[in-house]
Amino acid sequence: MSVMSEKEKNGCRRLLELLPVEDLLALKDTVTNRLISVESPSEAIEAIVAYSQSAEELLKRRKVHRDIIFKYLAKEGVAAPPNTEKLHLIWRALALWSSDNVIPFQDTLNDSSACCSEGPDGLADLTALGKEFCRWFFQLLNSLNHTAGQPVQDWGPQHFWGDVRLFILSYTGEQQRDEYHGAELVSRRLSALVWEEKLVFCPNLEHSGLKCLSTPHGLVLVAVAGTIHRENVCLGIFEQVFGLIRDPLDGNRWKMKFVHLKIKGQLGAEQLPVLTYESNDMLQLFTT
């Protein structure tokens, strides 16, 4: 049965409405193995959404043609060049469904009801926190890319601890390692990636692309893998690890204490990028 989020389900429903009826019914038969009968296109859509294993699996179906995804994204205000490949359109749709809500991260996670005594740091669900943080962070960062057509959000040093450290490792040709210290400098360097270099970061928030853990001292580590784009070109993949700590002097807000960004070359296989960090790897990034 489907494990899609509500945003993914709603997005898939709107996209499936663009399919011709004959393709819609054929897709329903494939997804349900002809075990479900329907009497209307709307029932067919509900059956497809209910019995698809994931949004990515559904979008990769042959009946969900590239042109349908392109048309859906255009209706949602996501511009893409007409020659964009289907795989890249799929990434854009998944990114849209996983990052269309910016504000709730700090609001919901600052609420005391978001915590309980189930973990060493009092957090009930680290994965939910990690997903919400990544949706918030990448929507905020990508909004600085003026070619993406999104309103610029409230990016700035206020989201970082004053002594934050940023490490950027690049494996595009020659290996390069850069390090930055301080909220103002780290904020400016990250914003330059999208403002000046016109990059767009698309995180993979499925299970294979996200890992979260916490320490007894209140540090939460969120690791995520994703793809990096410039306009219609996929430049490569990234893995990013964030170290988050609450600031009791600023409304108990989560702020970034460490950021480790690894950028690799072109994506080889036609699949969403997979996180390679193990838990020990994540801890060692900020303890050595």
Side-chain angles (χ1 to χ4, degrees):
M1 299 293 284
S2 174
V3 292
M4 299 185 205
S5 68
E6 285 304 314
K7 295 174 187 175
E8 289 174 330
K9 289 179 181 179
N10 290 332
C12 286
R13 291 184 182 106
R14 292 193 296 271
L15 185 146
L16 291 171
E17 289 173 354
L18 302 176
L19 264 67
V21 174
E22 58 271 21
D23 285 350
L24 188 65
L25 295 176
L27 179 60
K28 183 272 299 179
D29 287 341
T30 300
V31 171
T32 67
N33 201 23
R34 297 180 181 272
L35 296 177
I36 303 295
S37 60
V38 298
E39 297 182 357
S40 66
S42 61
E43 289 185 6
I45 289 173
E46 291 304 317
I48 293 168
V49 171
Y51 285 87
S52 292
Q53 294 182 12
S54 68
E56 181 188 358
E57 181 223 29
L58 174 54
L59 293 178
K60 286 185 174 179
R61 295 282 188 180
R62 281 189 298 176
K63 288 295 183 182
V64 183
H65 301 295
R66 190 202 73 91
D67 292 349
I68 294 296
I69 305 175
F70 180 89
K71 187 182 299 185
Y72 165 77
L73 289 172
K75 286 173 66 72
E76 296 295 321
V78 179
N83 61 344
T84 304
E85 296 178 0
K86 179 180 178 180
L87 180 62
H88 295 165
L89 293 174
I90 290 173
W91 288 335
R92 292 196 179 198
L94 293 174
L96 173 67
W97 296 336
S98 67
S99 62
D100 61 354
N101 199 351
V102 179
I103 302 303
F105 172 66
Q106 292 294 356
D107 290 348
T108 59
L109 296 182
N110 290 340
D111 189 335
S112 59
S113 65
C115 300
C116 69
S117 58
E118 294 186 12
D121 52 10
L123 294 171
D125 191 340
L126 281 176
T127 300
L129 184 152
K131 280 189 175 183
E132 196 63 39
F133 169 78
C134 288
R135 292 185 182 116
W136 170 83
F137 176 84
F138 288 106
Q139 176 76 359
L140 193 66
L141 183 63
N142 288 333
S143 76
L144 302 178
N145 184 333
H146 56 277
T147 65
Q150 302 179 34
V152 176
Q153 304 293 337
D154 185 29
W155 177 268
Q158 69 271 20
H159 302 302
F160 303 87
W161 283 86
D163 59 349
V164 62
R165 287 186 291 159
L166 166 66
F167 304 90
I168 300 181
L169 275 67
S170 176
Y171 295 92
T172 54
E174 296 182 359
Q175 180 176 337
Q176 183 175 340
R177 185 181 192 275
D178 297 303
E179 186 172 334
Y180 305 86
H181 297 265
E184 187 65 41
L185 185 57
V186 168
S187 174
R188 287 206 308 265
R189 182 63 189 99
L190 287 172
S191 66
L193 294 173
V194 292
W195 178 261
E196 298 175 10
E197 300 180 38
K198 298 182 175 61
L199 302 180
V200 174
F201 290 80
C202 296
N204 171 20
L205 300 184
E206 300 294 327
H207 177 72
S208 61
L210 183 71
K211 184 186 292 287
C212 307
L213 58 94
S214 63
T215 73
H217 309 293
L219 174 67
V220 171
L221 299 179
V222 178
V224 63
T227 53
I228 303 174
H229 304 257
R230 182 182 289 124
E231 296 181 347
N232 67 320
V233 178
C234 178
L235 301 178
I237 61 177
F238 73 90
E239 291 184 84
Q240 195 159 2
V241 184
F242 302 89
L244 308 178
I245 299 178
R246 289 186 185 273
D247 185 353
L249 301 180
D250 189 10
N252 218 26
R253 297 173 67 241
W254 290 100
K255 291 185 178 181
M256 288 168 270
K257 185 79 168 180
F258 310 100
V259 182
H260 192 285
L261 174 60
K262 182 166 62 177
I263 298 174
K264 302 178 184 179
Q266 187 68 32
L267 185 65
E270 289 198 357
Q271 59 184 17
L272 287 174
V274 175
L275 194 67
T276 61
Y277 286 108
E278 299 294 338
S279 296
N280 286 339
D281 300 328
M282 294 166 60
L283 287 168
Q284 288 176 4
L285 287 177
F286 306 123
T287 58
T288 57

